[in-house]
Amino acid sequence: MIKAGILGATGYAGQELIRLLYGHPEVKIVKTISESYADNKYSYVYRNFTGISQDICSSLDYETIADGIDVLFTSLPYGVLMEKLNEDILNNVTVIDLGVDYRLMNGGEYKQYYGKEHKSIHLSSRFTYGLSEWNEDRIRTAEHIANPGCFATAIQLALLPLIKEKIISTDITVDGKCALSGSGRTLTVGTHFVEANESVKPYKITNHPHKIEAQKAVEYFTGEQARFTFVPHIVPMQRGMLVSCYTRTTTKTNHDFIRSIYEKYYNDKQFVQILDKGMYVETKWVRNSNMCHINFELDEQDNSLIVFAAIDNLIKGAAGQAVQNLNIMNGFPQDMAINHVPVCI
């Protein structure tokens, strides 16, 4: 059995990790770490675990965090892990980080998008970018994983095949919609029910970090330099994410040819499904699952192309992809513990 620790266990992504790992036949959770709820039963924090988990949340001690475990999942706000992570920890436990601190950025870019100096940027070289469907070979032999962000995951899965084949312009506009859980469990004015309900609003229009992450990942996987105009929005849902990507094809083409490109890259990828023509993606059809649904519309008159992708931001955009990466690293079936039919109602 793989012995796992969860740091940030009482956040939304942490809760999803624990829920998924409870169904994993090869993993045993031995550390449930939460500074906010130390010494409380986990089922006190999340009462859906009543009668299932008797775990007690432990306080955080970086000196002993790697003791007794094989893998450490970290799910912390930006800038927290980079303050304390060090070579000793990385030498003694596999880290799968759901946070942003080690995702492709250099120190200057991190400061630009997060407004603070990165204290351990040199450790980034020990992390492999964990977009499961596109980096499987590297993930299989990785030391540590930097799990992609939710918007970055949806954007890349939607666009990478077309960019890789050079059949679309790399000047792309992306409209993103994300549920309130994407902002984390800590309440702010912007995510307060009274403020967010019955309203849709854009945020971080020019400096959302998933924009730079997606751009750098495109170069990482394709060698191309994409330019994104990215406008994310908060919508009053609990979970779910949809991106609409606007671009143009570089040559005259048709629906069947574009579909053949997606099938070339995703035909054997069970968690990425291309919907039938005229069947539009909806967040409800991927809810509570590790699935990504993609479809597109092509206007053959002017070569304009709109690509849509929907994921569950907490699963494919966070915890589910982390478990998928764990499975790849250990030679397990990729769908182990995450092969759930979406819950649409």
Side-chain angles (χ1 to χ4, degrees), residues 2-192:
I2 294 172
K3 296 177 181 177
I6 316 295
L7 173 54
T10 53
Y12 290 139
Q15 184 275 152
E16 285 295 276
L17 267 172
I18 290 177
R19 186 177 68 86
L20 295 173
L21 291 175
Y22 255 88
H24 201 299
E26 300 291 343
V27 175
K28 179 177 177 59
I29 299 171
V30 298
K31 284 188 178 183
T32 305
I33 305 169
S34 172
E35 287 281 81
S36 302
Y37 293 95
D39 300 325
N40 283 282
K41 291 175 66 174
Y42 194 72
S43 59
Y44 167 81
V45 185
Y46 286 104
R47 295 174 194 184
N48 52 319
F49 285 89
T50 300
I52 297 170
S53 171
Q54 299 300 317
D55 292 347
I56 305 295
C57 296
S58 60
S59 58
L60 175 56
D61 181 356
Y62 280 100
E63 294 295 321
T64 61
I65 197 168
D67 293 355
I69 60 175
D70 305 302
V71 60
L72 176 67
F73 292 91
T74 55
S75 183
L76 299 171
Y78 74 86
V80 177
L81 185 63
M82 62 95 166
E83 294 274 356
K84 298 292 186 180
L85 193 66
N86 56 49
E87 298 279 2
D88 286 342
I89 295 172
L90 294 182
N91 288 339
N92 286 285
V93 69
T94 296
V95 174
I96 299 179
D97 181 29
L98 279 69
V100 305
D101 288 355
Y102 301 99
R103 291 182 196 154
L104 299 177
M105 291 188 193
N106 61 38
E109 291 161 342
Y110 191 91
K111 185 174 182 180
Q112 175 185 348
Y113 282 89
Y114 290 105
K116 60 169 64 177
E117 296 285 347
H118 197 303
K119 299 296 178 62
S120 55
I121 194 67
H122 63 285
L123 298 179
S124 296
S125 62
R126 298 190 62 176
F127 283 80
T128 296
Y129 190 62
L131 189 67
S132 302
E133 281 74 21
W134 279 82
N135 217 18
E136 183 177 341
D137 289 342
R138 292 189 180 102
I139 292 168
R140 191 175 291 114
T141 59
E143 276 193 286
H144 311 284
I145 298 294
N147 226 53
C150 49
F151 267 128
T153 293
I155 292 169
Q156 290 175 77
L157 292 177
L159 296 175
L160 279 174
L162 306 181
I163 296 173
K164 182 78 171 177
E165 296 293 323
K166 302 182 188 299
I167 65 170
I168 61 170
S169 166
T170 52
D171 191 355
I172 302 164
T173 296
V174 179
D175 177 281
K177 305 289 196 300
C178 186
L180 288 164
S181 56
S183 299
R185 196 167 187 234
T186 302
L187 187 64
T188 65
V189 171
T191 57
H192 194 288

Side-chain angles (χ1 to χ4, degrees), residues 107-337:
E109 291 161 342
Y110 191 91
K111 185 174 182 180
Q112 175 185 348
Y113 282 89
Y114 290 105
K116 60 169 64 177
E117 296 285 347
H118 197 303
K119 299 296 178 62
S120 55
I121 194 67
H122 63 285
L123 298 179
S124 296
S125 62
R126 298 190 62 176
F127 283 80
T128 296
Y129 190 62
L131 189 67
S132 302
E133 281 74 21
W134 279 82
N135 217 18
E136 183 177 341
D137 289 342
R138 292 189 180 102
I139 292 168
R140 191 175 291 114
T141 59
E143 276 193 286
H144 311 284
I145 298 294
N147 226 53
C150 49
F151 267 128
T153 293
I155 292 169
Q156 290 175 77
L157 292 177
L159 296 175
L160 279 174
L162 306 181
I163 296 173
K164 182 78 171 177
E165 296 293 323
K166 302 182 188 299
I167 65 170
I168 61 170
S169 166
T170 52
D171 191 355
I172 302 164
T173 296
V174 179
D175 177 281
K177 305 289 196 300
C178 186
L180 288 164
S181 56
S183 299
R185 196 167 187 234
T186 302
L187 187 64
T188 65
V189 171
T191 57
H192 194 288
F193 176 83
V194 174
E195 300 288 338
N197 191 44
E198 299 294 337
S199 182
V200 177
K201 60 183 177 183
Y203 71 104
K204 289 188 177 181
I205 297 169
T206 60
N207 69 333
H208 197 292
H210 289 194
K211 171 186 173 180
I212 185 68
E213 180 185 340
Q215 288 180 172
K216 290 178 74 71
V218 165
E219 186 172 8
Y220 177 79
F221 288 118
T222 72
E224 300 292 321
Q225 293 188 336
R227 293 181 299 173
F228 290 114
T229 299
F230 177 43
V231 183
H233 301 76
I234 293 176
V235 295
M237 306 187 303
Q238 288 181 285
R239 61 200 303 156
M241 171 170 287
L242 186 146
V243 295
S244 303
C245 309
Y246 302 86
T247 185
R248 291 183 182 277
T249 60
T250 53
T251 59
K252 198 75 172 175
T253 187
N254 57 55
H255 183 278
D256 289 343
F257 176 74
I258 292 175
R259 185 177 182 89
S260 73
I261 297 299
Y262 281 111
E263 290 174 346
K264 172 182 175 180
Y265 285 90
Y266 294 139
N267 186 54
D268 62 344
K269 308 296 185 184
Q270 73 179 93
F271 292 122
V272 181
Q273 295 295 316
I274 313 305
L275 303 188
D276 293 340
K277 186 175 182 179
M279 184 184 294
Y280 297 118
V281 305
E282 298 181 48
T283 58
K284 69 181 291 183
W285 300 120
V286 296
R287 186 182 301 153
N288 288 97
S289 82
N290 200 53
M291 301 298 295
C292 174
H293 283 182
I294 295 173
N295 214 338
F296 60 91
E297 282 290 338
L298 172 68
D299 187 336
E300 295 184 26
Q301 300 301 311
D302 63 2
N303 296 339
S304 62
L305 178 68
I306 309 172
V307 181
F308 308 95
I311 64 172
D312 186 310
N313 58 298
L314 293 177
I315 302 188
K316 187 57 175 172
Q321 188 159 212
V323 175
Q324 187 177 356
N325 287 329
L326 175 75
N327 289 338
I328 294 170
M329 295 174 82
N330 289 278
F332 303 143
Q334 287 197 31
D335 65 353
M336 188 173 282

